[in-house]
Amino acid sequence: MDSKLIALLQSFPALEACLGDISKALELLTAAARADGLILLCGNGGSAADCEHIVGELMKGFLQKRPDPALPGWAAPLQKGIRAISLPSQCAVVSAFNNDVDPALVYAQLTRAYGRPGDVLIGLSTSGNSENVVNAWKIARLSGLSTVALVGERRCAADGLCDAVIHAPSSETYRIQEYHLPIYHYLCAALEERLFGAQISA
């Protein structure tokens, strides 16, 4: 067990029940990122905000610097990113599709357009039953993407549909979201370390 995972469980011992799926999600993310794949994220409300948060941790240095020695000196501040996109942030196409077609299929539309085989779709839903997220998981599987779900403790549509289903140990929306934060912070930190190596302190 890596040190970051030990620290996560020390701070949030209730997450031990999620350990298998957290580890599986990390393996899926690692495989996609090492193949220069794309990590897509979707959710609604607070979960949409979490999608933005996760992309922010992946697309630049999170717990360590990620220098790119291939760049010229003037571009030295730029960092290596882990390719990720928040589907809720695509406001023009989201609003157009919601208005013109079907809100229940909006994330499925974006997943189909952006996703390629070997990519990963992470859906965040405190119920695990949000129709637009469930439809995105479905189209992701049809399109050859791996699927990860961050949900609450109750059984839900994600079970049997997603490759890794991380059940936060609560049935209250705000508590589920409070558990999702340390889970995805761990995933971002562990993925960063796998791709760029452990940060060496001076």
Side-chain angles (χ1 to χ4, degrees), residues 85-163:
I85 186 168
S86 169
L87 301 184
S89 71
Q90 312 299 295
C91 58
V93 67
V94 166
S95 60
F97 196 89
N98 284 347
N99 185 65
D100 300 341
V101 188
D102 185 350
L105 293 172
V106 62
Y107 292 145
Q109 171 67 29
L110 291 170
T111 298
R112 183 64 176 175
Y114 280 123
R116 296 293 180 268
D119 293 344
V120 178
L121 172 69
I122 302 176
L124 295 94
S125 170
T126 57
S127 69
N129 297 313
S130 301
E131 189 176 11
N132 55 3
V133 177
V134 171
N135 286 332
W137 284 323
K138 290 178 179 178
I139 205 68
R141 289 178 66 89
L142 289 173
S143 303
L145 283 71
S146 297
T147 48
V148 174
L150 273 72
V151 298
E153 67 182 359
R154 296 192 177 109
R155 288 195 59 79
C156 60
D159 294 301
L161 178 60
C162 294
D163 298 302

Side-chain angles (χ1 to χ4, degrees), residues 29-53:
L29 295 171
T30 301
R34 283 181 173 162
D36 198 32
L38 183 64
I39 298 169
L40 300 86
L41 299 107
C42 65
N44 302 296
S47 295
D50 284 329
C51 293
E52 299 286 341
H53 189 161

